Amino acid sequence: MDKRVKKAAGKVAKSAIKHAPEPVKEKVKEVIVDKAKERFKENIHEKAGEAEEKVQEVLLSAREKLGKAVEAGQEFQKKMSSVNKKDDDRKVKGVKHIKGISDIKTSKDIKSATKIKRAKNIKSSNDIKTIGS
């Protein structure tokens, strides 16, 4: 409807209500209240539908993120529990790969000058041939 028509209809309705008898006024009030309730319900259902759509979108995005996290967790488990692979192939090392205090060399474990080979002690390729023949 045109705005002017709505305005004119509203004025006619107001003047009609002013000059109407009391029982008609009560009936009009009831009808107006019913219409307001219907519009309110429609508005509520509309807003609830929009809210439901937004919640669905959020839940779907959360589901996707959780799916990615699950995949990453599975990959991590594969790396950690490589039963069929050698332990050296694992990208993530376990506790048993950490060296203990007993694995650290001390000054006693380091070769001294007397244990280092000299030129006389190193076999040349000529020495190996004479021994083997």
PDB file of all heavy atoms in Angstrom, residues 30-58:
ATOM      1  N   GLU A  30      -9.619  -6.288  21.389  1.00  0.00           N
ATOM      2  CA  GLU A  30      -9.311  -7.721  21.384  1.00  0.00           C
ATOM      3  C   GLU A  30      -8.662  -8.134  20.067  1.00  0.00           C
ATOM      4  O   GLU A  30      -7.667  -8.885  20.047  1.00  0.00           O
ATOM      5  CB  GLU A  30     -10.574  -8.549  21.615  1.00  0.00           C
ATOM      6  CG  GLU A  30     -11.120  -8.463  23.025  1.00  0.00           C
ATOM      7  CD  GLU A  30     -12.444  -9.198  23.175  1.00  0.00           C
ATOM      8  OE1 GLU A  30     -12.811  -9.975  22.279  1.00  0.00           O
ATOM      9  OE2 GLU A  30     -13.097  -9.005  24.218  1.00  0.00           O
ATOM     10  N   VAL A  31      -9.214  -7.639  18.972  1.00  0.00           N
ATOM     11  CA  VAL A  31      -8.671  -7.974  17.649  1.00  0.00           C
ATOM     12  C   VAL A  31      -7.252  -7.430  17.510  1.00  0.00           C
ATOM     13  O   VAL A  31      -6.345  -8.112  17.011  1.00  0.00           O
ATOM     14  CB  VAL A  31      -9.587  -7.432  16.528  1.00  0.00           C
ATOM     15  CG1 VAL A  31      -8.927  -7.570  15.168  1.00  0.00           C
ATOM     16  CG2 VAL A  31     -10.926  -8.152  16.537  1.00  0.00           C
ATOM     17  N   ILE A  32      -7.041  -6.218  17.982  1.00  0.00           N
ATOM     18  CA  ILE A  32      -5.711  -5.601  17.894  1.00  0.00           C
ATOM     19  C   ILE A  32      -4.712  -6.391  18.736  1.00  0.00           C
ATOM     20  O   ILE A  32      -3.584  -6.643  18.303  1.00  0.00           O
ATOM     21  CB  ILE A  32      -5.772  -4.118  18.323  1.00  0.00           C
ATOM     22  CG1 ILE A  32      -6.522  -3.304  17.269  1.00  0.00           C
ATOM     23  CG2 ILE A  32      -4.377  -3.547  18.540  1.00  0.00           C
ATOM     24  CD1 ILE A  32      -6.760  -1.867  17.650  1.00  0.00           C
ATOM     25  N   VAL A  33      -5.132  -6.790  19.930  1.00  0.00           N
ATOM     26  CA  VAL A  33      -4.245  -7.578  20.800  1.00  0.00           C
ATOM     27  C   VAL A  33      -3.898  -8.907  20.131  1.00  0.00           C
ATOM     28  O   VAL A  33      -2.736  -9.347  20.142  1.00  0.00           O
ATOM     29  CB  VAL A  33      -4.887  -7.790  22.192  1.00  0.00           C
ATOM     30  CG1 VAL A  33      -4.139  -8.834  22.995  1.00  0.00           C
ATOM     31  CG2 VAL A  33      -4.930  -6.469  22.956  1.00  0.00           C
ATOM     32  N   ASP A  34      -4.907  -9.558  19.530  1.00  0.00           N
ATOM     33  CA  ASP A  34      -4.661 -10.835  18.842  1.00  0.00           C
ATOM     34  C   ASP A  34      -3.683 -10.662  17.685  1.00  0.00           C
ATOM     35  O   ASP A  34      -2.770 -11.472  17.481  1.00  0.00           O
ATOM     36  CB  ASP A  34      -5.977 -11.439  18.335  1.00  0.00           C
ATOM     37  CG  ASP A  34      -6.846 -11.981  19.468  1.00  0.00           C
ATOM     38  OD1 ASP A  34      -6.290 -12.217  20.567  1.00  0.00           O
ATOM     39  OD2 ASP A  34      -8.055 -12.163  19.244  1.00  0.00           O
ATOM     40  N   LYS A  35      -3.886  -9.601  16.897  1.00  0.00           N
ATOM     41  CA  LYS A  35      -2.990  -9.331  15.766  1.00  0.00           C
ATOM     42  C   LYS A  35      -1.568  -9.051  16.264  1.00  0.00           C
ATOM     43  O   LYS A  35      -0.587  -9.508  15.663  1.00  0.00           O
ATOM     44  CB  LYS A  35      -3.490  -8.133  14.943  1.00  0.00           C
ATOM     45  CG  LYS A  35      -4.740  -8.394  14.170  1.00  0.00           C
ATOM     46  CD  LYS A  35      -4.441  -9.288  12.986  1.00  0.00           C
ATOM     47  CE  LYS A  35      -5.714  -9.455  12.166  1.00  0.00           C
ATOM     48  NZ  LYS A  35      -5.485 -10.350  11.032  1.00  0.00           N
ATOM     49  N   ALA A  36      -1.446  -8.318  17.349  1.00  0.00           N
ATOM     50  CA  ALA A  36      -0.127  -7.999  17.900  1.00  0.00           C
ATOM     51  C   ALA A  36       0.570  -9.281  18.367  1.00  0.00           C
ATOM     52  O   ALA A  36       1.772  -9.460  18.147  1.00  0.00           O
ATOM     53  CB  ALA A  36      -0.257  -7.008  19.048  1.00  0.00           C
ATOM     54  N   LYS A  37      -0.216 -10.167  19.004  1.00  0.00           N
ATOM     55  CA  LYS A  37       0.361 -11.443  19.446  1.00  0.00           C
ATOM     56  C   LYS A  37       0.854 -12.265  18.257  1.00  0.00           C
ATOM     57  O   LYS A  37       1.930 -12.864  18.300  1.00  0.00           O
ATOM     58  CB  LYS A  37      -0.674 -12.249  20.236  1.00  0.00           C
ATOM     59  CG  LYS A  37      -0.914 -11.754  21.638  1.00  0.00           C
ATOM     60  CD  LYS A  37      -1.939 -12.623  22.352  1.00  0.00           C
ATOM     61  CE  LYS A  37      -2.253 -12.106  23.738  1.00  0.00           C
ATOM     62  NZ  LYS A  37      -3.282 -12.913  24.421  1.00  0.00           N
ATOM     63  N   GLU A  38       0.046 -12.292  17.183  1.00  0.00           N
ATOM     64  CA  GLU A  38       0.441 -13.045  15.987  1.00  0.00           C
ATOM     65  C   GLU A  38       1.731 -12.488  15.382  1.00  0.00           C
ATOM     66  O   GLU A  38       2.638 -13.243  15.028  1.00  0.00           O
ATOM     67  CB  GLU A  38      -0.679 -13.008  14.940  1.00  0.00           C
ATOM     68  CG  GLU A  38      -1.858 -13.882  15.266  1.00  0.00           C
ATOM     69  CD  GLU A  38      -2.972 -13.766  14.224  1.00  0.00           C
ATOM     70  OE1 GLU A  38      -2.659 -13.436  13.060  1.00  0.00           O
ATOM     71  OE2 GLU A  38      -4.127 -13.996  14.588  1.00  0.00           O
ATOM     72  N   ARG A  39       1.805 -11.174  15.272  1.00  0.00           N
ATOM     73  CA  ARG A  39       3.003 -10.553  14.711  1.00  0.00           C
ATOM     74  C   ARG A  39       4.218 -10.804  15.605  1.00  0.00           C
ATOM     75  O   ARG A  39       5.326 -11.028  15.130  1.00  0.00           O
ATOM     76  CB  ARG A  39       2.792  -9.057  14.519  1.00  0.00           C
ATOM     77  CG  ARG A  39       1.891  -8.757  13.355  1.00  0.00           C
ATOM     78  CD  ARG A  39       1.951  -7.324  12.968  1.00  0.00           C
ATOM     79  NE  ARG A  39       1.077  -7.075  11.833  1.00  0.00           N
ATOM     80  CZ  ARG A  39       0.876  -5.900  11.309  1.00  0.00           C
ATOM     81  NH1 ARG A  39       1.489  -4.847  11.836  1.00  0.00           N
ATOM     82  NH2 ARG A  39       0.089  -5.754  10.277  1.00  0.00           N
ATOM     83  N   PHE A  40       3.975 -10.757  16.916  1.00  0.00           N
ATOM     84  CA  PHE A  40       5.061 -11.016  17.862  1.00  0.00           C
ATOM     85  C   PHE A  40       5.578 -12.444  17.700  1.00  0.00           C
ATOM     86  O   PHE A  40       6.779 -12.688  17.676  1.00  0.00           O
ATOM     87  CB  PHE A  40       4.559 -10.762  19.293  1.00  0.00           C
ATOM     88  CG  PHE A  40       5.632 -10.856  20.331  1.00  0.00           C
ATOM     89  CD1 PHE A  40       6.593  -9.855  20.442  1.00  0.00           C
ATOM     90  CD2 PHE A  40       5.683 -11.937  21.197  1.00  0.00           C
ATOM     91  CE1 PHE A  40       7.581  -9.934  21.398  1.00  0.00           C
ATOM     92  CE2 PHE A  40       6.674 -12.017  22.152  1.00  0.00           C
ATOM     93  CZ  PHE A  40       7.624 -11.018  22.260  1.00  0.00           C
ATOM     94  N   LYS A  41       4.637 -13.402  17.572  1.00  0.00           N
ATOM     95  CA  LYS A  41       5.025 -14.804  17.371  1.00  0.00           C
ATOM     96  C   LYS A  41       5.799 -14.973  16.070  1.00  0.00           C
ATOM     97  O   LYS A  41       6.814 -15.676  16.024  1.00  0.00           O
ATOM     98  CB  LYS A  41       3.789 -15.712  17.346  1.00  0.00           C
ATOM     99  CG  LYS A  41       3.198 -15.989  18.699  1.00  0.00           C
ATOM    100  CD  LYS A  41       2.007 -16.915  18.576  1.00  0.00           C
ATOM    101  CE  LYS A  41       1.326 -17.135  19.909  1.00  0.00           C
ATOM    102  NZ  LYS A  41       0.138 -17.990  19.790  1.00  0.00           N
ATOM    103  N   GLU A  42       5.321 -14.325  15.006  1.00  0.00           N
ATOM    104  CA  GLU A  42       6.015 -14.413  13.716  1.00  0.00           C
ATOM    105  C   GLU A  42       7.437 -13.866  13.838  1.00  0.00           C
ATOM    106  O   GLU A  42       8.389 -14.468  13.337  1.00  0.00           O
ATOM    107  CB  GLU A  42       5.245 -13.627  12.647  1.00  0.00           C
ATOM    108  CG  GLU A  42       3.955 -14.276  12.200  1.00  0.00           C
ATOM    109  CD  GLU A  42       3.147 -13.385  11.263  1.00  0.00           C
ATOM    110  OE1 GLU A  42       3.668 -12.320  10.840  1.00  0.00           O
ATOM    111  OE2 GLU A  42       2.006 -13.753  10.956  1.00  0.00           O
ATOM    112  N   ASN A  43       7.522 -12.708  14.530  1.00  0.00           N
ATOM    113  CA  ASN A  43       8.849 -12.092  14.714  1.00  0.00           C
ATOM    114  C   ASN A  43       9.763 -13.015  15.513  1.00  0.00           C
ATOM    115  O   ASN A  43      10.933 -13.191  15.171  1.00  0.00           O
ATOM    116  CB  ASN A  43       8.675 -10.751  15.436  1.00  0.00           C
ATOM    117  CG  ASN A  43       9.950  -9.957  15.418  1.00  0.00           C
ATOM    118  OD1 ASN A  43      10.843 -10.195  14.634  1.00  0.00           O
ATOM    119  ND2 ASN A  43      10.039  -9.022  16.322  1.00  0.00           N
ATOM    120  N   ILE A  44       9.222 -13.627  16.557  1.00  0.00           N
ATOM    121  CA  ILE A  44      10.006 -14.532  17.408  1.00  0.00           C
ATOM    122  C   ILE A  44      10.469 -15.738  16.592  1.00  0.00           C
ATOM    123  O   ILE A  44      11.623 -16.141  16.670  1.00  0.00           O
ATOM    124  CB  ILE A  44       9.164 -15.010  18.615  1.00  0.00           C
ATOM    125  CG1 ILE A  44       8.838 -13.839  19.510  1.00  0.00           C
ATOM    126  CG2 ILE A  44       9.846 -16.130  19.345  1.00  0.00           C
ATOM    127  CD1 ILE A  44       9.706 -13.673  20.710  1.00  0.00           C
ATOM    128  N   HIS A  45       9.545 -16.323  15.818  1.00  0.00           N
ATOM    129  CA  HIS A  45       9.909 -17.495  15.017  1.00  0.00           C
ATOM    130  C   HIS A  45      10.968 -17.138  13.972  1.00  0.00           C
ATOM    131  O   HIS A  45      11.881 -17.916  13.703  1.00  0.00           O
ATOM    132  CB  HIS A  45       8.671 -18.084  14.333  1.00  0.00           C
ATOM    133  CG  HIS A  45       7.747 -18.789  15.276  1.00  0.00           C
ATOM    134  ND1 HIS A  45       8.121 -19.904  15.979  1.00  0.00           N
ATOM    135  CD2 HIS A  45       6.464 -18.535  15.640  1.00  0.00           C
ATOM    136  CE1 HIS A  45       7.124 -20.309  16.738  1.00  0.00           C
ATOM    137  NE2 HIS A  45       6.095 -19.487  16.551  1.00  0.00           N
ATOM    138  N   GLU A  46      10.841 -15.956  13.420  1.00  0.00           N
ATOM    139  CA  GLU A  46      11.811 -15.489  12.436  1.00  0.00           C
ATOM    140  C   GLU A  46      13.194 -15.345  13.070  1.00  0.00           C
ATOM    141  O   GLU A  46      14.194 -15.828  12.534  1.00  0.00           O
ATOM    142  CB  GLU A  46      11.337 -14.135  11.895  1.00  0.00           C
ATOM    143  CG  GLU A  46      11.975 -13.696  10.616  1.00  0.00           C
ATOM    144  CD  GLU A  46      11.322 -12.413  10.122  1.00  0.00           C
ATOM    145  OE1 GLU A  46      10.104 -12.427   9.833  1.00  0.00           O
ATOM    146  OE2 GLU A  46      12.045 -11.405  10.041  1.00  0.00           O
ATOM    147  N   LYS A  47      13.241 -14.697  14.233  1.00  0.00           N
ATOM    148  CA  LYS A  47      14.516 -14.499  14.936  1.00  0.00           C
ATOM    149  C   LYS A  47      15.091 -15.840  15.394  1.00  0.00           C
ATOM    150  O   LYS A  47      16.301 -16.052  15.342  1.00  0.00           O
ATOM    151  CB  LYS A  47      14.337 -13.578  16.151  1.00  0.00           C
ATOM    152  CG  LYS A  47      13.956 -12.162  15.801  1.00  0.00           C
ATOM    153  CD  LYS A  47      15.080 -11.450  15.101  1.00  0.00           C
ATOM    154  CE  LYS A  47      14.671 -10.013  14.803  1.00  0.00           C
ATOM    155  NZ  LYS A  47      15.666  -9.319  14.018  1.00  0.00           N
ATOM    156  N   ALA A  48      14.216 -16.744  15.835  1.00  0.00           N
ATOM    157  CA  ALA A  48      14.676 -18.068  16.265  1.00  0.00           C
ATOM    158  C   ALA A  48      15.271 -18.835  15.085  1.00  0.00           C
ATOM    159  O   ALA A  48      16.286 -19.527  15.233  1.00  0.00           O
ATOM    160  CB  ALA A  48      13.525 -18.856  16.884  1.00  0.00           C
ATOM    161  N   GLY A  49      14.655 -18.704  13.923  1.00  0.00           N
ATOM    162  CA  GLY A  49      15.190 -19.355  12.726  1.00  0.00           C
ATOM    163  C   GLY A  49      16.571 -18.820  12.371  1.00  0.00           C
ATOM    164  O   GLY A  49      17.484 -19.594  12.047  1.00  0.00           O
ATOM    165  N   GLU A  50      16.740 -17.503  12.455  1.00  0.00           N
ATOM    166  CA  GLU A  50      18.037 -16.894  12.176  1.00  0.00           C
ATOM    167  C   GLU A  50      19.077 -17.360  13.195  1.00  0.00           C
ATOM    168  O   GLU A  50      20.212 -17.681  12.837  1.00  0.00           O
ATOM    169  CB  GLU A  50      17.930 -15.370  12.212  1.00  0.00           C
ATOM    170  CG  GLU A  50      17.138 -14.772  11.068  1.00  0.00           C
ATOM    171  CD  GLU A  50      16.917 -13.273  11.214  1.00  0.00           C
ATOM    172  OE1 GLU A  50      17.545 -12.657  12.114  1.00  0.00           O
ATOM    173  OE2 GLU A  50      16.128 -12.721  10.427  1.00  0.00           O
ATOM    174  N   ALA A  51      18.687 -17.401  14.461  1.00  0.00           N
ATOM    175  CA  ALA A  51      19.608 -17.844  15.510  1.00  0.00           C
ATOM    176  C   ALA A  51      19.994 -19.308  15.286  1.00  0.00           C
ATOM    177  O   ALA A  51      21.159 -19.683  15.467  1.00  0.00           O
ATOM    178  CB  ALA A  51      18.970 -17.669  16.884  1.00  0.00           C
ATOM    179  N   GLU A  52      19.021 -20.116  14.883  1.00  0.00           N
ATOM    180  CA  GLU A  52      19.298 -21.535  14.622  1.00  0.00           C
ATOM    181  C   GLU A  52      20.306 -21.691  13.480  1.00  0.00           C
ATOM    182  O   GLU A  52      21.230 -22.500  13.561  1.00  0.00           O
ATOM    183  CB  GLU A  52      18.002 -22.261  14.270  1.00  0.00           C
ATOM    184  CG  GLU A  52      18.179 -23.755  14.056  1.00  0.00           C
ATOM    185  CD  GLU A  52      16.897 -24.456  13.693  1.00  0.00           C
ATOM    186  OE1 GLU A  52      15.892 -23.771  13.386  1.00  0.00           O
ATOM    187  OE2 GLU A  52      16.892 -25.690  13.692  1.00  0.00           O
ATOM    188  N   GLU A  53      20.157 -20.888  12.437  1.00  0.00           N
ATOM    189  CA  GLU A  53      21.095 -20.942  11.318  1.00  0.00           C
ATOM    190  C   GLU A  53      22.507 -20.565  11.767  1.00  0.00           C
ATOM    191  O   GLU A  53      23.483 -21.212  11.401  1.00  0.00           O
ATOM    192  CB  GLU A  53      20.638 -20.001  10.204  1.00  0.00           C
ATOM    193  CG  GLU A  53      19.419 -20.486   9.444  1.00  0.00           C
ATOM    194  CD  GLU A  53      18.939 -19.471   8.418  1.00  0.00           C
ATOM    195  OE1 GLU A  53      19.676 -18.508   8.117  1.00  0.00           O
ATOM    196  OE2 GLU A  53      17.816 -19.657   7.903  1.00  0.00           O
ATOM    197  N   LYS A  54      22.599 -19.521  12.585  1.00  0.00           N
ATOM    198  CA  LYS A  54      23.906 -19.087  13.062  1.00  0.00           C
ATOM    199  C   LYS A  54      24.554 -20.162  13.929  1.00  0.00           C
ATOM    200  O   LYS A  54      25.748 -20.436  13.820  1.00  0.00           O
ATOM    201  CB  LYS A  54      23.791 -17.786  13.857  1.00  0.00           C
ATOM    202  CG  LYS A  54      23.512 -16.583  12.991  1.00  0.00           C
ATOM    203  CD  LYS A  54      23.408 -15.314  13.802  1.00  0.00           C
ATOM    204  CE  LYS A  54      23.082 -14.116  12.923  1.00  0.00           C
ATOM    205  NZ  LYS A  54      22.908 -12.889  13.694  1.00  0.00           N
ATOM    206  N   VAL A  55      23.750 -20.779  14.803  1.00  0.00           N
ATOM    207  CA  VAL A  55      24.271 -21.841  15.664  1.00  0.00           C
ATOM    208  C   VAL A  55      24.743 -23.020  14.815  1.00  0.00           C
ATOM    209  O   VAL A  55      25.797 -23.608  15.080  1.00  0.00           O
ATOM    210  CB  VAL A  55      23.205 -22.282  16.694  1.00  0.00           C
ATOM    211  CG1 VAL A  55      23.608 -23.561  17.397  1.00  0.00           C
ATOM    212  CG2 VAL A  55      22.975 -21.183  17.711  1.00  0.00           C
ATOM    213  N   GLN A  56      23.971 -23.365  13.786  1.00  0.00           N
ATOM    214  CA  GLN A  56      24.361 -24.464  12.895  1.00  0.00           C
ATOM    215  C   GLN A  56      25.699 -24.162  12.221  1.00  0.00           C
ATOM    216  O   GLN A  56      26.556 -25.036  12.099  1.00  0.00           O
ATOM    217  CB  GLN A  56      23.284 -24.711  11.834  1.00  0.00           C
ATOM    218  CG  GLN A  56      22.027 -25.368  12.357  1.00  0.00           C
ATOM    219  CD  GLN A  56      22.281 -26.792  12.824  1.00  0.00           C
ATOM    220  OE1 GLN A  56      23.192 -27.455  12.368  1.00  0.00           O
ATOM    221  NE2 GLN A  56      21.448 -27.255  13.730  1.00  0.00           N
ATOM    222  N   GLU A  57      25.877 -22.915  11.770  1.00  0.00           N
ATOM    223  CA  GLU A  57      27.137 -22.534  11.126  1.00  0.00           C
ATOM    224  C   GLU A  57      28.305 -22.660  12.093  1.00  0.00           C
ATOM    225  O   GLU A  57      29.363 -23.179  11.748  1.00  0.00           O
ATOM    226  CB  GLU A  57      27.046 -21.101  10.607  1.00  0.00           C
ATOM    227  CG  GLU A  57      26.141 -20.928   9.410  1.00  0.00           C
ATOM    228  CD  GLU A  57      25.967 -19.474   9.000  1.00  0.00           C
ATOM    229  OE1 GLU A  57      26.706 -18.610   9.526  1.00  0.00           O
ATOM    230  OE2 GLU A  57      25.095 -19.209   8.161  1.00  0.00           O
ATOM    231  N   VAL A  58      28.100 -22.200  13.330  1.00  0.00           N
ATOM    232  CA  VAL A  58      29.158 -22.289  14.335  1.00  0.00           C
ATOM    233  C   VAL A  58      29.482 -23.745  14.643  1.00  0.00           C
ATOM    234  O   VAL A  58      30.651 -24.134  14.743  1.00  0.00           O
ATOM    235  CB  VAL A  58      28.752 -21.530  15.618  1.00  0.00           C
ATOM    236  CG1 VAL A  58      29.700 -21.824  16.763  1.00  0.00           C
ATOM    237  CG2 VAL A  58      28.694 -20.037  15.352  1.00  0.00           C
TER     238      VAL A  58
END
